[in-house]
Amino acid sequence: MSYTSANQKGMALIQVLIIAIILTMLGIFINQTIGSQIKTAQLIKSNHHLDLLLESTEAELIHALLTQKRYKDRSSLNEWVKSWNFHGEVFHLNDNVSIQMQDLNGLLSLNYMSNSVALRLFSQLGFTESDVRIFLDSLKDWKDEDDLKHLNGAESYYYDKERLPLPRNNFLQSIDEVMNIKGANILTQEQWRKYFSIALVSQFNPLNSSPEIIKAFIDNDRAFTQVMSLRSQQRLNTFSFYQATGIEADNFITFLTGSIINIKITVTRESNQLSKSFQVELRPIANLRPITISNVKWNE
């Protein structure tokens, strides 16, 4: 065999090897691309199922809110009525769906609020009265139309100097707006949403309030313990509340779930999760617009 022939065979072998490597790499690339496309398709399919699950859950919940009495009844034939509550506690319809609902009559309204109850609530949360007074006086200044500053408050000149949004000089329009008020940083936005609302409601519902707010409202440890026990047994009503607290039901205290409710629906499937929060205002007997949905947020 001549040197030239051996050299040609060697070159041919190298070319074959190069072609084999290229084909192998191409095969790996194709497999990876197919695998990625399959995962993407599976993710799209899973997300579509999540969307369908969330939307169907929302539709069923709204139907129940418009057709059923808004209180829990474990003996009811309706699965929603057996499971739900309106004081913000998470309840589950199944392994894939969890829901929170908060009757706004169970929160403190920043537009109609008793300062004494608010002070007791803030005290439970670990704040001193001096810290809270700054916010409460600033809240009054934010809502009133004049430029006369309350003792610990702040008017337009303070916000203008700090280059902050100026007071509305009217009722708050959103819970987010509270963060613009001097002293509002004593709570996080999540805490403001947990205990307060801006709803123009003047009634308080002990059935649908958090333990912290109920304790601040009653201001009596023994009576508070009794009320919470009665509520857990589903025996809290106008009469039992009066027996426990000595507080008579009036135009301010109600035991009916209000028409304005904050809702959060969370659905999960495998490792994916989707949530939707919104507020509903219910008018079941209205011929037009029996429900108004607002403040819609996704994955909050």
Side-chain angles (χ1 to χ4, degrees), residues 24-274:
T24 301
M25 293 178 65
L26 182 61
I28 293 172
F29 173 75
I30 292 172
N31 284 336
Q32 289 178 335
T33 302
I34 293 173
S36 177
Q37 290 176 342
I38 291 173
K39 288 181 180 178
T40 301
Q42 290 174 336
L43 181 61
I44 293 172
K45 182 179 179 182
S46 178
N47 288 340
H48 180 62
H49 282 306
L50 279 179
D51 285 336
L52 289 177
L53 179 57
L54 193 149
E55 295 301 329
S56 62
T57 300
E58 179 183 343
E60 291 174 10
L61 173 57
I62 288 174
H63 180 265
L65 288 171
L66 290 171
T67 58
Q68 304 293 325
K69 293 182 178 178
R70 297 190 292 276
Y71 63 89
K72 188 171 186 173
D73 182 2
R74 292 191 178 95
S75 64
S76 174
L77 297 178
N78 186 290
E79 290 300 319
W80 287 99
V81 178
K82 288 169 65 174
S83 304
W84 65 18
N85 69 79
F86 296 88
H87 53 263
E89 181 181 340
V90 176
F91 65 95
H92 302 270
L93 282 185
N94 51 54
D95 293 337
N96 302 110
V97 179
S98 62
I99 298 167
Q100 285 177 278
M101 296 196 294
Q102 177 60 64
D103 171 17
L104 295 198
N105 282 344
L107 302 180
L108 297 183
S109 172
L110 289 164
N111 287 321
Y112 288 119
M113 185 171 65
S114 164
N115 275 9
S116 59
V117 175
L119 282 169
R120 290 195 290 269
L121 173 61
F122 280 114
S123 178
Q124 287 185 62
L125 299 176
F127 298 100
T128 64
E129 184 172 340
S130 60
D131 291 332
V132 179
R133 285 293 182 189
I134 293 173
F135 170 73
L136 293 179
D137 282 359
S138 298
L139 175 62
K140 294 175 185 175
D141 288 332
W142 186 272
K143 293 187 295 184
D144 63 29
E145 296 182 359
D146 59 53
D147 283 328
L148 300 175
K149 184 178 80 70
H150 287 79
L151 180 62
N152 301 290
E155 280 290 357
S156 297
Y157 48 87
Y158 165 81
Y159 297 98
D160 188 43
K161 183 180 70 174
E162 298 294 326
R163 297 186 178 183
L164 297 170
L166 298 180
R168 180 176 293 278
N169 294 331
N170 208 327
F171 288 133
L172 293 167
Q173 298 299 303
S174 74
I175 198 68
D176 295 330
E177 187 182 338
V178 72
M179 301 307 295
N180 296 325
I181 301 174
K182 182 182 178 182
N185 58 356
I186 58 176
L187 295 182
T188 65
Q189 195 168 69
E190 183 179 349
Q191 288 174 310
W192 283 115
R193 291 181 181 279
K194 180 177 179 181
Y195 300 113
F196 298 89
S197 78
I198 51 90
L200 299 179
V201 296
S202 57
Q203 292 185 308
F204 175 67
N205 188 342
L207 282 174
N208 294 336
S209 191
S210 70
E212 295 89 347
I213 295 177
I214 294 174
K215 188 173 184 179
F217 179 80
I218 295 174
D219 195 25
N220 181 304
D221 289 344
R222 180 194 58 79
F224 165 72
T225 301
Q226 281 187 269
V227 166
M228 294 308 296
S229 175
L230 288 165
R231 189 170 84 166
S232 67
Q233 300 171 46
Q234 292 188 270
R235 294 171 49 213
L236 186 62
N237 53 42
T238 303
F239 182 65
S240 63
F241 183 76
Y242 171 73
Q243 283 186 312
T245 66
I247 301 173
E248 293 188 35
D250 53 19
N251 292 332
F252 176 71
I253 299 175
T254 181
F255 287 86
L256 297 175
T257 299
S259 60
I260 307 177
I261 302 169
N262 285 337
I263 298 173
K264 182 176 182 180
I265 301 173
T266 302
V267 294
T268 57
R269 183 182 175 89
E270 297 173 352
S271 60
N272 293 334
Q273 179 174 292
L274 179 66

